[in-house]
Amino acid sequence: MPISIDTLKSEFKNFLTIQKGKVTALASNALTNEFILESTTITFKLTNPLEVDAIESIKAELVTHLRATYKEDAIQLVYEVSSTNAVDRPYTPKEKFDAMMKKNPSLAKMKEIMGLDTDF
């Protein structure tokens, strides 16, 4: 099987299924971050040092899994930490609702029709 971004995403999910209960939520979430594939080097773009610790805790098992799956001993897992990789996440109820309205504009109509208030 050739190594590609799509197959890697699938293999990360398979790995999490196999390791269920052994992988922390932070490590699981870190595997969903954006990554770059250059030949056999996978570079994760992490947003904070906590994600580094989470990836380090599963790195050996993950690399072993990927090497066995792709039959490629040269696979390496590296990461770069940058706060610019962070995604703006809504925190307040209003920010969350606004973010949902961007994805689904019909929510604005529903809010108006039902007289909903997101500022509570």
Side-chain angles (χ1 to χ4, degrees), residues 1 13 19 22 24 36 47 49 52 55 61 71 76 79 93 99 107-110 114 120:
M1 168 179 0
K13 287 179 185 176
Q19 296 290 321
K22 298 177 185 175
T24 65
I36 298 170
T47 58
V52 172
I55 289 289
E61 292 88 0
K71 295 176 179 41
Q76 294 181 353
Y79 44 81
L107 286 176
K109 283 184 185 177
M110 186 174 78
M114 299 180 84
F120 50 88

Side-chain angles (χ1 to χ4, degrees), residues 62-113:
L62 178 58
V63 170
T64 301
H65 173 79
L66 294 174
R67 287 177 178 172
T69 300
Y70 292 106
K71 295 176 179 41
E72 177 63 64
D73 291 335
I75 291 178
Q76 294 181 353
L77 184 66
V78 295
Y79 44 81
E80 45 184 65
V81 180
S82 172
S83 60
T84 59
N85 295 334
V87 176
D88 288 334
R89 297 204 170 136
Y91 290 103
T92 66
K94 180 171 179 17
E95 290 173 346
K96 290 176 183 177
F97 192 77
D98 289 344
M100 288 191 303
M101 281 194 312
K102 284 180 184 174
K103 290 182 181 178
N104 189 351
S106 63
L107 286 176
K109 283 184 185 177
M110 186 174 78
K111 177 184 174 188
E112 185 179 315
I113 291 170

